[in-house]
Amino acid sequence: MADNFSDMNLFFYPRSIAVLGASENLSSFGTRYLQALTNFGYKGRIFAVNRSGNVVLGHDIYRSVLDLPDRVDLAVISVPARFAPDALRDCLRAGIKAAIILGSGFSETDSDEGRNLEDELLTITRQGIRLMGPNCFGTYSPGGRLTIIPGQRFPVESGGIGLITQSGQLSEIIVGRSAGEGIRFSRVASFGNACDINESDLLDYLFHDSETKVVSAYLEGVRQGRRFFDIVRENSKKKPTVIWKAGLTSAGSAAAKSHTGSLAGSINVWSAFFRQTSAIQVSGMEELIDTMIGFSCLPEGCGTRVGLVSGGGAGAVIGADICERTGLQMPPLPSDIKNKLRAILPASGTAINNPLDLGVPHQKPDVFTAVLESVAAGDNVDVIVIRRVFFSEKLSQIFSDSAGSSAEELKTLLNVPIEIKKRSGKPVVVILAEELSGVNDLELEKERREIRDFFFKNRIPVFPTEARAFKAIANMAKYHYSCL
Amino acid sequence: MADNFSDMNLFFYPRSIAVLGASENLSSFGTRYLQALTNFGYKGRIFAVNRSGNVVLGHDIYRSVLDLPDRVDLAVISVPARFAPDALRDCLRAGIKAAIILGSGFSETDSDEGRNLEDELLTITRQGIRLMGPNCFGTYSPGGRLTIIPGQRFPVESGGIGLITQSGQLSEIIVGRSAGEGIRFSRVASFGNACDINESDLLDYLFHDSETKVVSAYLEGVRQGRRFFDIVRENSKKKPTVIWKAGLTSAGSAAAKSHTGSLAGSINVWSAFFRQTSAIQVSGMEELIDTMIGFSCLPEGCGTRVGLVSGGGAGAVIGADICERTGLQMPPLPSDIKNKLRAILPASGTAINNPLDLGVPHQKPDVFTAVLESVAAGDNVDVIVIRRVFFSEKLSQIFSDSAGSSAEELKTLLNVPIEIKKRSGKPVVVILAEELSGVNDLELEKERREIRDFFFKNRIPVFPTEARAFKAIANMAKYHYSCL
């Protein structure tokens, strides 16, 4: 374990990096990697290596890794596939212990040539160098200040989510999209064909890394089935583990073979895996991100009994439908709480029940506080979900009273869920839908994102739809209480 | 039938409207309705009626509908529930044939008082006035230039989608959100408690209305089961019919009772209904909107055999998984087409298959044209789906070559799907995901919406995720070919 940890750590916290294949061609992978590294603010020493010997992006070029003046922790190799074994051999000779091969043209091509090249790489690694890839984007490590090629704009702040993905593009998409949802990562690895370093090495590392609080993975296939199973079974009880296993259909399995040369495995094997470990299975990108949001904002989880507070009746019906389909409950409110609510809300247009229909989306702070307080007081409610309440001034103007709410009132309203969460000790979840999506409605969308960010900052998870919110809550409950 | 048609038409094309309950109170429902009507540009004559007799929003106030100087087509009533029967009686006496009651406080309250009031309303209607509501938002009819209260910003252009919904708020949300997705409506009715006019009256009307090409409905319960079944069975073969039946879970059914006083019915009954009619069942707002998009842009439908062209490999795997789960097929490309593609695309980083992995999201127009042309030439492909190809300049800059694509190249690229659709006669579908969703990424979102609108204008349907695209395609196929 200790060996694996320090081996893997070189890929996330290298003190120096050699980039093989950086050249005058600014669109070459090597050069772009060099550029991303510099722009992202890597603090260690960088060595650019290329046979040509010219200067690239202000870096002196070395003709070979064997000429480097100093010890190097990590080599990032971007040369045509046929030259990759020689490059890796040079790194081994230079005493480098960790290498990433970015380019493709190996086993994923399903050609003898590609397979042979990858076999050759594997043979070299056995002599004392660990290899990530080939056919990958490498690592994103905010703490180590290194990033994947398309990750120049990724957040520089660290967070608690560790992610490994066989797909480079998914590392780019998942980090990019979830950054907007308040998610921050400890370490991300795109490990491609998994020729040497595979999912088990990386998961073992993340499970033992104290900065990583939640372990997540996008997998197309698994190299060492038994080891993978043992590692996940042993550790997923202690650290929440979220796995998106792709390629479980016959069409997906064939595509996985072409993408990362993976054998996808059967649905039955994977169902058994999820039954026998505490890992949470998710089935798509939205669910993966939403479950990350859940674990980020509701670290202790929440139960399955939802109190739904809805600014309108149809949403209450829809919400109830989805809640039940997701396996959650919406227990009836106790009669003393119903009586309290009857004294607070008008009789007409509302429905004093669970789901609770407030009648309209625009709410006054004092009424809203009293309502949420009453719902939260219910012994049979674990989590309060708020939908279609207008926290936005512009929305309020478009859809509500011509009178509308004042900016101050809305500011106070925004703090109500946070206050209720504090006072009741129960988690509060907010659903904020995109209301209008025309090209002229961007101001509304800006306001929505600002409100979302405000809630995330205060550890109130925000989701765009009922379905996504309830699925995330259900996944939390499944993990923390082994129910559903 | 003819009678029902002209009765219903008064609610969408009235030549004059009386608003009962408009007052000096600018936030009252009646006054807001009056304001919405004026702002939306209603062309007919408007009469404001209120016992007070003061001027409201520049309109002379009449003390009673019996004092009106002219014949009135439609009365919109916004008075407290207990005064509603008298107001409706006055309208009947004044010879008005159509009335909408906006307010709540009737059968949906589950009180004797509310039920009795609604019964009284029903009795009055039998003497010769049709009633929509109570507990509703009324009608949105771009052609008739009238709109629901929160619909001042709705599009003034007409389209081919007819929508009826028991929920007022859903009429507001569905029209608002789908407007951004290029959907335009012929007529929308929020009909609330369905005391007199129910789903069958309205569906019958929409089926016979030539402007309406697709009939859609959000239903919580059904008043006249047999009539509803007969109307939908007879007409849904001729006109695509999309129904979102809410309240099918026990929690949802209870909520529906409180919301519109509806008896939701059992899952078994509804399954039988969908089996025995050609109506398409959808299970949520996204699917409803996506299916509307499908029928708007692919009026002849498309088959079930998808050719997926993906700017990256993970998307190909994910897409293949979702495609198969949705019941669609991704047939292997014929070998002559594979050979053609091998000559066009680089060997490394791509996968010449279906799904076709282009390797990277940034494409040159000539290569992209040649690729799509080859895929479209396959006899076994009915529809071409494109995912994660960068049509956006900003995206291209963030994620691609530092070199990037020129603005002109991107403009040409945007026209490629349109060209291919024209030349091949096969539908082309584009998936445009939100790539980054931070508050500082709004320029990207603006560009995404512009690109989306451009495609919609050219009848290329656009969806934000693979799952939503494939579900819409599957619903088209289900309707047009009765398969799946």
Side-chain angles (χ1 to χ4, degrees), chain B residues 66-183:
Chain B
L66 297 163
D67 303 339
L68 299 184
D70 212 346
R71 204 193 102 105
V72 164
D73 275 353
L74 173 67
V76 177
I77 299 172
S78 167
V79 299
R82 65 187 184 283
F83 301 133
D86 280 343
L88 188 63
R89 225 173 263 121
D90 283 352
C91 293
L92 175 71
R93 254 183 242 133
I96 300 174
K97 300 279 178 217
I100 299 174
I101 296 184
L102 300 173
S104 52
F106 300 90
S107 68
E108 85 286 354
T109 59
D110 203 18
S111 68
D112 284 342
E113 192 197 344
R115 266 188 301 267
N116 290 340
L117 283 169
E118 199 164 310
D119 287 346
E120 205 179 336
L121 294 177
L122 184 59
T123 310
I124 300 165
T125 62
R126 298 232 165 100
Q127 299 168 53
I129 182 168
R130 299 303 307 265
L131 171 64
M132 189 177 292
N135 188 22
C136 76
F137 278 2
T139 54
Y140 160 57
S141 163
R145 273 298 178 103
L146 69 166
T147 191
I148 60 172
I149 295 182
Q152 300 186 36
R153 288 191 16 161
F154 283 179
V156 293
E157 319 92 60
S158 285
I161 311 276
L163 168 69
I164 66 166
T165 148
Q166 258 176 290
S167 150
Q169 193 171 88
L170 269 192
S171 63
E172 166 195 338
I173 298 178
I174 295 171
V175 176
R177 287 198 34 195
S178 60
E181 314 285 337
I183 291 171

Side-chain angles (χ1 to χ4, degrees), chain A residues 26-27 29 32 35 103-105 108-109 135 149-154 167 169-170 172-173 175-181 218 220 244-259 283-286 310-318 320-325 330 347-351 353-355 357 359-362 387-388 390 398-403 433-442 444-450 452-453 464-465, chain B residues 26-27 29 32 35 103-105 108-109 135 149-154 167 169-170 172-173 175-181 218 220 244-259 283-286 310-318 320-325 330 347-351 353-355 357 359-362 387-388 390 398-403 433-442 444-450 452-453 464-465:
Chain A
L26 290 182
S27 69
F29 254 48
R32 286 170 56 203
Q35 198 165 32
S104 52
E108 84 286 353
T109 59
N135 187 23
I149 294 182
Q152 299 186 37
R153 289 191 14 159
F154 282 178
S167 150
Q169 194 171 86
L170 270 193
E172 166 194 339
I173 298 178
V175 176
R177 286 197 36 195
S178 60
E181 315 285 338
Y218 167 85
E220 294 183 355
W244 175 9
K245 173 62 184 76
L248 282 181
T249 64
S250 58
S253 156
K257 183 88 184 67
S258 306
H259 182 222
S283 59
M285 174 135 53
E286 279 77 26
S310 170
V317 181
I318 302 165
D321 271 347
I322 297 172
C323 187
E324 188 165 317
R325 278 191 202 123
M330 234 173 239
S348 170
T350 64
N353 267 316
N354 188 14
D357 175 6
V360 289
H362 37 289
R387 74 166 288 284
R388 208 155 203 256
F390 286 164
I398 293 174
F399 288 121
S400 309
D401 316 316
S402 40
E434 209 177 281
E435 294 280 342
L436 296 163
S437 66
V439 105
N440 298 319
D441 303 311
L442 281 163
L444 264 184
E445 175 59 13
K446 182 170 177 240
E447 222 183 354
R448 189 184 72 83
R449 294 182 184 188
E450 282 165 351
R452 179 195 65 181
D453 292 355
T465 67
Chain B
L26 291 180
S27 69
F29 253 50
R32 285 170 56 202
Q35 197 167 32
S104 52
E108 85 286 354
T109 59
N135 188 22
I149 295 182
Q152 300 186 36
R153 288 191 16 161
F154 283 179
S167 150
Q169 193 171 88
L170 269 192
E172 166 195 338
I173 298 178
V175 176
R177 287 198 34 195
S178 60
E181 314 285 337
Y218 166 84
E220 294 183 356
W244 175 10
K245 173 62 185 75
L248 282 181
T249 64
S250 58
S253 158
K257 185 86 184 63
S258 308
H259 181 222
S283 59
M285 172 133 54
E286 279 74 28
S310 171
V317 181
I318 301 165
D321 272 347
I322 297 172
C323 186
E324 189 166 316
R325 280 191 199 123
M330 231 171 240
S348 171
T350 64
N353 267 314
N354 188 15
D357 175 6
V360 288
H362 38 288
R387 75 166 289 283
R388 205 154 207 258
F390 286 163
I398 292 174
F399 287 121
S400 308
D401 315 319
S402 42
E434 209 177 280
E435 294 280 340
L436 295 165
S437 65
V439 109
N440 299 320
D441 303 312
L442 281 162
L444 263 185
E445 177 58 13
K446 183 169 177 242
E447 221 182 358
R448 189 184 72 85
R449 293 182 185 189
E450 283 165 352
R452 179 194 65 180
D453 292 354
T465 66

Side-chain angles (χ1 to χ4, degrees), chain A residues 79-82 84-85 101-111 113-115 117-118 121 134-135 193, chain B residues 348:
Chain A
V79 300
R82 65 186 183 286
I101 296 184
L102 300 172
S104 52
F106 300 90
S107 66
E108 84 286 353
T109 59
D110 203 18
S111 68
E113 193 197 344
R115 267 188 300 268
L117 283 169
E118 200 164 310
L121 294 177
N135 187 23
N193 290 5
Chain B
S348 171

